[in-house]
Amino acid sequence: MNNSTETDPNPQVGGFKIKAGIIGGAGYTGGELLRILINHPQVDIAFVHSNSNAGNYIYEVHTDLFGDTELKFTGELSHQIDVLFLCVGHGDARKFLEANPFPQSVKVIDLSQDFRLKEKSSISYQATDNSQPTTESRSFTYGLPELNREAIKQADNIANPGCFATCLQLGLLPLAASNNLNSEVHITATTGSTGAGQSLAPTSHFTWRNNNASVYKAFDHQHLNEIGESLTQLQPAFDKPVNFIPYRGDFTRGIIASIYLDSDLSADEVVKLYSDYYAGHPFTHVTTRNIDLKQIVNTNKCFIQVQKKGNKVFIISIMDNLLKGASGQAVQNMNLMFGLEETTGLRLKAAAF
């Protein structure tokens, strides 16, 4: 278990373990974050906040952690931490920081959509220092390591990307980086039920979801905005439509996306382009072989299959929506921010069968 206050020498992070606090620890992303951090060799969990579960053992909510930790949820906050993870609903992260200003020395990683877009990437709030009110601010860096790794290393605050956004961007970044996005992009992608969060809704009940599939938010999914900002970051002149049809799948976790667009690149050029772009990124892997969700579920990996079909580049991108699409990527960002090896605590094996 990783719940003690003992410290290990680690010159990369100032000679101590990273002390982490978690807000909203009772949901899916909070549970996955706990599963990783409890076993992370450089982290001590200082507190796990939950208003509705304060006083309960974590394993009473996240039953998969029974036997791994004796931590309890708390309704109290502590500023004696190095990093704060916000695993709250969209719109609630900004409200939380405004109501609960933490010292600037505390790094923040937000898993909601509140700070992902450039126009919303900062926050100002009133803080009290020695009884004197002062105005403080935080600016957030978009936390997709395959796009912004060097900026993440220097960042104090991270806006963790959305799950669909991560999967689709990883399928398109090499083309944008080489100015090869020159036509409309067509995408169909299916996500598991955990992508909708833990709160019950008519489309998340087992009786509705099982043996069923449906389209939602066709052409206007909210993640298109952050995808567009990332693509034009690499290819500023890109102005073609990105046509995205999301599906609800009748499985629990994972995203599979199929993407195609017109291209003059040859098959060999496409494979080399993708392989070269991701050569230094430990979690994104390129192949020409057929891929399937069981290869990546329960891991922080993204697998990308690339092909050339006539005049079309055809890309399949798969990943776990709760890990590479949320909590795993948040820990990957934390590792980069604190100078750790990027893969620390994240070498997770897929169930595969």
Side-chain angles (χ1 to χ4, degrees), residues 137-165:
S137 63
R138 289 182 181 268
S139 295
F140 285 75
T141 297
Y142 189 66
L144 185 62
E146 291 82 357
L147 175 69
N148 289 329
R149 178 193 272 160
E150 295 308 311
I152 292 166
K153 290 179 180 179
Q154 304 302 317
D156 291 323
N157 307 286
I158 293 293
N160 219 55
C163 52
F164 265 138

PDB file of all heavy atoms in Angstrom, residues 137-165:
ATOM      1  N   SER A 137      -4.319  34.193 -10.012  1.00  0.00           N
ATOM      2  CA  SER A 137      -4.790  33.573 -11.247  1.00  0.00           C
ATOM      3  C   SER A 137      -3.996  32.307 -11.530  1.00  0.00           C
ATOM      4  O   SER A 137      -2.882  32.125 -11.030  1.00  0.00           O
ATOM      5  CB  SER A 137      -4.654  34.549 -12.427  1.00  0.00           C
ATOM      6  OG  SER A 137      -3.306  34.877 -12.650  1.00  0.00           O
ATOM      7  N   ARG A 138      -4.599  31.447 -12.309  1.00  0.00           N
ATOM      8  CA  ARG A 138      -3.944  30.241 -12.805  1.00  0.00           C
ATOM      9  C   ARG A 138      -4.203  30.147 -14.303  1.00  0.00           C
ATOM     10  O   ARG A 138      -5.316  30.382 -14.761  1.00  0.00           O
ATOM     11  CB  ARG A 138      -4.485  28.983 -12.117  1.00  0.00           C
ATOM     12  CG  ARG A 138      -4.094  28.823 -10.661  1.00  0.00           C
ATOM     13  CD  ARG A 138      -4.647  27.529 -10.081  1.00  0.00           C
ATOM     14  NE  ARG A 138      -4.309  27.376  -8.677  1.00  0.00           N
ATOM     15  CZ  ARG A 138      -3.226  26.749  -8.224  1.00  0.00           C
ATOM     16  NH1 ARG A 138      -2.371  26.219  -9.097  1.00  0.00           N
ATOM     17  NH2 ARG A 138      -2.982  26.637  -6.934  1.00  0.00           N
ATOM     18  N   SER A 139      -3.172  29.778 -15.050  1.00  0.00           N
ATOM     19  CA  SER A 139      -3.318  29.509 -16.476  1.00  0.00           C
ATOM     20  C   SER A 139      -3.017  28.042 -16.719  1.00  0.00           C
ATOM     21  O   SER A 139      -2.056  27.492 -16.167  1.00  0.00           O
ATOM     22  CB  SER A 139      -2.362  30.388 -17.288  1.00  0.00           C
ATOM     23  OG  SER A 139      -2.706  31.741 -17.153  1.00  0.00           O
ATOM     24  N   PHE A 140      -3.849  27.411 -17.557  1.00  0.00           N
ATOM     25  CA  PHE A 140      -3.772  25.971 -17.774  1.00  0.00           C
ATOM     26  C   PHE A 140      -3.186  25.653 -19.144  1.00  0.00           C
ATOM     27  O   PHE A 140      -3.523  26.297 -20.150  1.00  0.00           O
ATOM     28  CB  PHE A 140      -5.163  25.345 -17.662  1.00  0.00           C
ATOM     29  CG  PHE A 140      -5.655  25.248 -16.241  1.00  0.00           C
ATOM     30  CD1 PHE A 140      -6.100  26.384 -15.566  1.00  0.00           C
ATOM     31  CD2 PHE A 140      -5.665  24.035 -15.571  1.00  0.00           C
ATOM     32  CE1 PHE A 140      -6.553  26.304 -14.255  1.00  0.00           C
ATOM     33  CE2 PHE A 140      -6.104  23.942 -14.259  1.00  0.00           C
ATOM     34  CZ  PHE A 140      -6.550  25.083 -13.600  1.00  0.00           C
ATOM     35  N   THR A 141      -2.309  24.654 -19.152  1.00  0.00           N
ATOM     36  CA  THR A 141      -1.716  24.139 -20.382  1.00  0.00           C
ATOM     37  C   THR A 141      -2.492  22.899 -20.817  1.00  0.00           C
ATOM     38  O   THR A 141      -2.831  22.053 -19.986  1.00  0.00           O
ATOM     39  CB  THR A 141      -0.240  23.770 -20.150  1.00  0.00           C
ATOM     40  OG1 THR A 141       0.485  24.957 -19.810  1.00  0.00           O
ATOM     41  CG2 THR A 141       0.380  23.133 -21.395  1.00  0.00           C
ATOM     42  N   TYR A 142      -2.763  22.797 -22.115  1.00  0.00           N
ATOM     43  CA  TYR A 142      -3.505  21.645 -22.631  1.00  0.00           C
ATOM     44  C   TYR A 142      -2.625  20.406 -22.550  1.00  0.00           C
ATOM     45  O   TYR A 142      -1.536  20.347 -23.125  1.00  0.00           O
ATOM     46  CB  TYR A 142      -3.934  21.909 -24.073  1.00  0.00           C
ATOM     47  CG  TYR A 142      -4.880  20.871 -24.631  1.00  0.00           C
ATOM     48  CD1 TYR A 142      -6.164  20.717 -24.104  1.00  0.00           C
ATOM     49  CD2 TYR A 142      -4.499  20.054 -25.690  1.00  0.00           C
ATOM     50  CE1 TYR A 142      -7.032  19.776 -24.613  1.00  0.00           C
ATOM     51  CE2 TYR A 142      -5.367  19.108 -26.208  1.00  0.00           C
ATOM     52  CZ  TYR A 142      -6.636  18.975 -25.670  1.00  0.00           C
ATOM     53  OH  TYR A 142      -7.502  18.035 -26.183  1.00  0.00           O
ATOM     54  N   GLY A 143      -3.117  19.393 -21.817  1.00  0.00           N
ATOM     55  CA  GLY A 143      -2.261  18.280 -21.413  1.00  0.00           C
ATOM     56  C   GLY A 143      -2.296  17.058 -22.305  1.00  0.00           C
ATOM     57  O   GLY A 143      -2.536  15.951 -21.804  1.00  0.00           O
ATOM     58  N   LEU A 144      -2.024  17.224 -23.587  1.00  0.00           N
ATOM     59  CA  LEU A 144      -1.858  16.071 -24.475  1.00  0.00           C
ATOM     60  C   LEU A 144      -0.358  15.913 -24.723  1.00  0.00           C
ATOM     61  O   LEU A 144       0.240  16.669 -25.497  1.00  0.00           O
ATOM     62  CB  LEU A 144      -2.600  16.286 -25.792  1.00  0.00           C
ATOM     63  CG  LEU A 144      -2.597  15.099 -26.772  1.00  0.00           C
ATOM     64  CD1 LEU A 144      -3.289  13.882 -26.142  1.00  0.00           C
ATOM     65  CD2 LEU A 144      -3.267  15.464 -28.087  1.00  0.00           C
ATOM     66  N   PRO A 145       0.302  14.948 -24.067  1.00  0.00           N
ATOM     67  CA  PRO A 145       1.760  14.851 -24.152  1.00  0.00           C
ATOM     68  C   PRO A 145       2.292  14.690 -25.572  1.00  0.00           C
ATOM     69  O   PRO A 145       3.374  15.194 -25.888  1.00  0.00           O
ATOM     70  CB  PRO A 145       2.080  13.615 -23.298  1.00  0.00           C
ATOM     71  CG  PRO A 145       0.963  13.554 -22.311  1.00  0.00           C
ATOM     72  CD  PRO A 145      -0.255  13.995 -23.085  1.00  0.00           C
ATOM     73  N   GLU A 146       1.550  14.009 -26.428  1.00  0.00           N
ATOM     74  CA  GLU A 146       2.009  13.806 -27.799  1.00  0.00           C
ATOM     75  C   GLU A 146       1.952  15.092 -28.620  1.00  0.00           C
ATOM     76  O   GLU A 146       2.487  15.153 -29.722  1.00  0.00           O
ATOM     77  CB  GLU A 146       1.171  12.712 -28.472  1.00  0.00           C
ATOM     78  CG  GLU A 146       1.409  11.313 -27.909  1.00  0.00           C
ATOM     79  CD  GLU A 146       0.643  11.020 -26.630  1.00  0.00           C
ATOM     80  OE1 GLU A 146      -0.062  11.937 -26.120  1.00  0.00           O
ATOM     81  OE2 GLU A 146       0.719   9.886 -26.123  1.00  0.00           O
ATOM     82  N   LEU A 147       1.342  16.115 -28.065  1.00  0.00           N
ATOM     83  CA  LEU A 147       1.289  17.431 -28.709  1.00  0.00           C
ATOM     84  C   LEU A 147       2.125  18.467 -27.960  1.00  0.00           C
ATOM     85  O   LEU A 147       2.848  19.249 -28.579  1.00  0.00           O
ATOM     86  CB  LEU A 147      -0.175  17.901 -28.770  1.00  0.00           C
ATOM     87  CG  LEU A 147      -0.436  19.310 -29.308  1.00  0.00           C
ATOM     88  CD1 LEU A 147      -0.120  19.388 -30.796  1.00  0.00           C
ATOM     89  CD2 LEU A 147      -1.888  19.717 -29.042  1.00  0.00           C
ATOM     90  N   ASN A 148       2.036  18.474 -26.625  1.00  0.00           N
ATOM     91  CA  ASN A 148       2.603  19.564 -25.821  1.00  0.00           C
ATOM     92  C   ASN A 148       3.555  19.083 -24.737  1.00  0.00           C
ATOM     93  O   ASN A 148       3.633  19.686 -23.673  1.00  0.00           O
ATOM     94  CB  ASN A 148       1.461  20.350 -25.148  1.00  0.00           C
ATOM     95  CG  ASN A 148       0.660  21.177 -26.126  1.00  0.00           C
ATOM     96  OD1 ASN A 148       1.182  21.657 -27.132  1.00  0.00           O
ATOM     97  ND2 ASN A 148      -0.624  21.340 -25.841  1.00  0.00           N
ATOM     98  N   ARG A 149       4.313  18.037 -24.989  1.00  0.00           N
ATOM     99  CA  ARG A 149       5.129  17.456 -23.923  1.00  0.00           C
ATOM    100  C   ARG A 149       6.059  18.475 -23.266  1.00  0.00           C
ATOM    101  O   ARG A 149       6.141  18.541 -22.027  1.00  0.00           O
ATOM    102  CB  ARG A 149       5.953  16.291 -24.465  1.00  0.00           C
ATOM    103  CG  ARG A 149       6.873  15.681 -23.406  1.00  0.00           C
ATOM    104  CD  ARG A 149       7.902  14.764 -24.037  1.00  0.00           C
ATOM    105  NE  ARG A 149       7.406  13.417 -24.162  1.00  0.00           N
ATOM    106  CZ  ARG A 149       7.934  12.513 -25.004  1.00  0.00           C
ATOM    107  NH1 ARG A 149       8.914  12.858 -25.804  1.00  0.00           N
ATOM    108  NH2 ARG A 149       7.461  11.286 -25.032  1.00  0.00           N
ATOM    109  N   GLU A 150       6.777  19.257 -24.034  1.00  0.00           N
ATOM    110  CA  GLU A 150       7.740  20.195 -23.450  1.00  0.00           C
ATOM    111  C   GLU A 150       7.040  21.284 -22.652  1.00  0.00           C
ATOM    112  O   GLU A 150       7.533  21.698 -21.593  1.00  0.00           O
ATOM    113  CB  GLU A 150       8.620  20.805 -24.551  1.00  0.00           C
ATOM    114  CG  GLU A 150       9.521  19.790 -25.246  1.00  0.00           C
ATOM    115  CD  GLU A 150      10.345  18.961 -24.263  1.00  0.00           C
ATOM    116  OE1 GLU A 150      10.967  19.570 -23.357  1.00  0.00           O
ATOM    117  OE2 GLU A 150      10.363  17.722 -24.387  1.00  0.00           O
ATOM    118  N   ALA A 151       5.886  21.750 -23.128  1.00  0.00           N
ATOM    119  CA  ALA A 151       5.134  22.756 -22.378  1.00  0.00           C
ATOM    120  C   ALA A 151       4.590  22.168 -21.083  1.00  0.00           C
ATOM    121  O   ALA A 151       4.550  22.840 -20.043  1.00  0.00           O
ATOM    122  CB  ALA A 151       3.992  23.304 -23.234  1.00  0.00           C
ATOM    123  N   ILE A 152       4.177  20.910 -21.096  1.00  0.00           N
ATOM    124  CA  ILE A 152       3.664  20.246 -19.897  1.00  0.00           C
ATOM    125  C   ILE A 152       4.752  20.155 -18.837  1.00  0.00           C
ATOM    126  O   ILE A 152       4.497  20.346 -17.641  1.00  0.00           O
ATOM    127  CB  ILE A 152       3.125  18.844 -20.252  1.00  0.00           C
ATOM    128  CG1 ILE A 152       1.862  18.964 -21.111  1.00  0.00           C
ATOM    129  CG2 ILE A 152       2.836  18.022 -18.996  1.00  0.00           C
ATOM    130  CD1 ILE A 152       1.438  17.681 -21.782  1.00  0.00           C
ATOM    131  N   LYS A 153       5.982  19.883 -19.249  1.00  0.00           N
ATOM    132  CA  LYS A 153       7.099  19.793 -18.298  1.00  0.00           C
ATOM    133  C   LYS A 153       7.293  21.094 -17.525  1.00  0.00           C
ATOM    134  O   LYS A 153       7.752  21.077 -16.379  1.00  0.00           O
ATOM    135  CB  LYS A 153       8.391  19.443 -19.036  1.00  0.00           C
ATOM    136  CG  LYS A 153       8.444  18.026 -19.571  1.00  0.00           C
ATOM    137  CD  LYS A 153       9.760  17.787 -20.304  1.00  0.00           C
ATOM    138  CE  LYS A 153       9.855  16.373 -20.853  1.00  0.00           C
ATOM    139  NZ  LYS A 153      11.129  16.147 -21.583  1.00  0.00           N
ATOM    140  N   GLN A 154       6.955  22.215 -18.145  1.00  0.00           N
ATOM    141  CA  GLN A 154       7.142  23.522 -17.510  1.00  0.00           C
ATOM    142  C   GLN A 154       5.869  24.050 -16.857  1.00  0.00           C
ATOM    143  O   GLN A 154       5.885  25.112 -16.238  1.00  0.00           O
ATOM    144  CB  GLN A 154       7.609  24.536 -18.565  1.00  0.00           C
ATOM    145  CG  GLN A 154       8.870  24.135 -19.316  1.00  0.00           C
ATOM    146  CD  GLN A 154      10.052  23.907 -18.396  1.00  0.00           C
ATOM    147  OE1 GLN A 154      10.275  24.685 -17.466  1.00  0.00           O
ATOM    148  NE2 GLN A 154      10.812  22.847 -18.645  1.00  0.00           N
ATOM    149  N   ALA A 155       4.766  23.332 -16.984  1.00  0.00           N
ATOM    150  CA  ALA A 155       3.462  23.855 -16.560  1.00  0.00           C
ATOM    151  C   ALA A 155       3.220  23.670 -15.069  1.00  0.00           C
ATOM    152  O   ALA A 155       3.722  22.727 -14.443  1.00  0.00           O
ATOM    153  CB  ALA A 155       2.356  23.172 -17.352  1.00  0.00           C
ATOM    154  N   ASP A 156       2.417  24.566 -14.505  1.00  0.00           N
ATOM    155  CA  ASP A 156       1.948  24.436 -13.123  1.00  0.00           C
ATOM    156  C   ASP A 156       0.508  23.947 -13.058  1.00  0.00           C
ATOM    157  O   ASP A 156       0.065  23.469 -12.014  1.00  0.00           O
ATOM    158  CB  ASP A 156       2.053  25.786 -12.404  1.00  0.00           C
ATOM    159  CG  ASP A 156       3.491  26.201 -12.162  1.00  0.00           C
ATOM    160  OD1 ASP A 156       4.323  25.320 -11.876  1.00  0.00           O
ATOM    161  OD2 ASP A 156       3.788  27.401 -12.281  1.00  0.00           O
ATOM    162  N   ASN A 157      -0.231  24.095 -14.153  1.00  0.00           N
ATOM    163  CA  ASN A 157      -1.633  23.705 -14.196  1.00  0.00           C
ATOM    164  C   ASN A 157      -1.930  23.052 -15.538  1.00  0.00           C
ATOM    165  O   ASN A 157      -1.520  23.557 -16.582  1.00  0.00           O
ATOM    166  CB  ASN A 157      -2.542  24.926 -14.012  1.00  0.00           C
ATOM    167  CG  ASN A 157      -2.191  25.723 -12.773  1.00  0.00           C
ATOM    168  OD1 ASN A 157      -2.471  25.317 -11.651  1.00  0.00           O
ATOM    169  ND2 ASN A 157      -1.557  26.879 -12.983  1.00  0.00           N
ATOM    170  N   ILE A 158      -2.646  21.942 -15.502  1.00  0.00           N
ATOM    171  CA  ILE A 158      -2.909  21.156 -16.706  1.00  0.00           C
ATOM    172  C   ILE A 158      -4.411  20.971 -16.893  1.00  0.00           C
ATOM    173  O   ILE A 158      -5.127  20.599 -15.955  1.00  0.00           O
ATOM    174  CB  ILE A 158      -2.246  19.766 -16.630  1.00  0.00           C
ATOM    175  CG1 ILE A 158      -0.729  19.904 -16.667  1.00  0.00           C
ATOM    176  CG2 ILE A 158      -2.730  18.857 -17.750  1.00  0.00           C
ATOM    177  CD1 ILE A 158      -0.173  20.417 -17.987  1.00  0.00           C
ATOM    178  N   ALA A 159      -4.871  21.205 -18.122  1.00  0.00           N
ATOM    179  CA  ALA A 159      -6.222  20.841 -18.534  1.00  0.00           C
ATOM    180  C   ALA A 159      -6.121  19.509 -19.263  1.00  0.00           C
ATOM    181  O   ALA A 159      -5.616  19.436 -20.385  1.00  0.00           O
ATOM    182  CB  ALA A 159      -6.805  21.915 -19.449  1.00  0.00           C
ATOM    183  N   ASN A 160      -6.543  18.443 -18.587  1.00  0.00           N
ATOM    184  CA  ASN A 160      -6.461  17.106 -19.170  1.00  0.00           C
ATOM    185  C   ASN A 160      -7.446  17.005 -20.335  1.00  0.00           C
ATOM    186  O   ASN A 160      -8.600  17.407 -20.214  1.00  0.00           O
ATOM    187  CB  ASN A 160      -6.804  16.068 -18.103  1.00  0.00           C
ATOM    188  CG  ASN A 160      -5.943  14.838 -18.180  1.00  0.00           C
ATOM    189  OD1 ASN A 160      -4.719  14.927 -18.142  1.00  0.00           O
ATOM    190  ND2 ASN A 160      -6.576  13.677 -18.276  1.00  0.00           N
ATOM    191  N   PRO A 161      -7.029  16.464 -21.487  1.00  0.00           N
ATOM    192  CA  PRO A 161      -7.924  16.400 -22.648  1.00  0.00           C
ATOM    193  C   PRO A 161      -9.111  15.468 -22.427  1.00  0.00           C
ATOM    194  O   PRO A 161      -9.096  14.591 -21.559  1.00  0.00           O
ATOM    195  CB  PRO A 161      -7.016  15.855 -23.757  1.00  0.00           C
ATOM    196  CG  PRO A 161      -5.635  16.177 -23.316  1.00  0.00           C
ATOM    197  CD  PRO A 161      -5.663  16.053 -21.825  1.00  0.00           C
ATOM    198  N   GLY A 162     -10.136  15.641 -23.248  1.00  0.00           N
ATOM    199  CA  GLY A 162     -11.275  14.744 -23.235  1.00  0.00           C
ATOM    200  C   GLY A 162     -10.918  13.396 -23.839  1.00  0.00           C
ATOM    201  O   GLY A 162      -9.921  13.252 -24.552  1.00  0.00           O
ATOM    202  N   CYS A 163     -11.758  12.398 -23.562  1.00  0.00           N
ATOM    203  CA  CYS A 163     -11.457  11.035 -24.017  1.00  0.00           C
ATOM    204  C   CYS A 163     -11.569  10.910 -25.534  1.00  0.00           C
ATOM    205  O   CYS A 163     -10.635  10.448 -26.195  1.00  0.00           O
ATOM    206  CB  CYS A 163     -12.353  10.027 -23.309  1.00  0.00           C
ATOM    207  SG  CYS A 163     -14.112  10.385 -23.385  1.00  0.00           S
ATOM    208  N   PHE A 164     -12.702  11.309 -26.110  1.00  0.00           N
ATOM    209  CA  PHE A 164     -12.821  11.290 -27.562  1.00  0.00           C
ATOM    210  C   PHE A 164     -11.743  12.174 -28.194  1.00  0.00           C
ATOM    211  O   PHE A 164     -11.127  11.805 -29.199  1.00  0.00           O
ATOM    212  CB  PHE A 164     -14.199  11.784 -28.003  1.00  0.00           C
ATOM    213  CG  PHE A 164     -15.209  10.703 -28.244  1.00  0.00           C
ATOM    214  CD1 PHE A 164     -16.512  10.849 -27.799  1.00  0.00           C
ATOM    215  CD2 PHE A 164     -14.887   9.540 -28.927  1.00  0.00           C
ATOM    216  CE1 PHE A 164     -17.469   9.868 -28.024  1.00  0.00           C
ATOM    217  CE2 PHE A 164     -15.829   8.545 -29.155  1.00  0.00           C
ATOM    218  CZ  PHE A 164     -17.126   8.711 -28.702  1.00  0.00           C
ATOM    219  N   ALA A 165     -11.520  13.340 -27.603  1.00  0.00           N
ATOM    220  CA  ALA A 165     -10.538  14.270 -28.162  1.00  0.00           C
ATOM    221  C   ALA A 165      -9.158  13.641 -28.221  1.00  0.00           C
ATOM    222  O   ALA A 165      -8.435  13.785 -29.214  1.00  0.00           O
ATOM    223  CB  ALA A 165     -10.503  15.553 -27.339  1.00  0.00           C
TER     224      ALA A 165
END
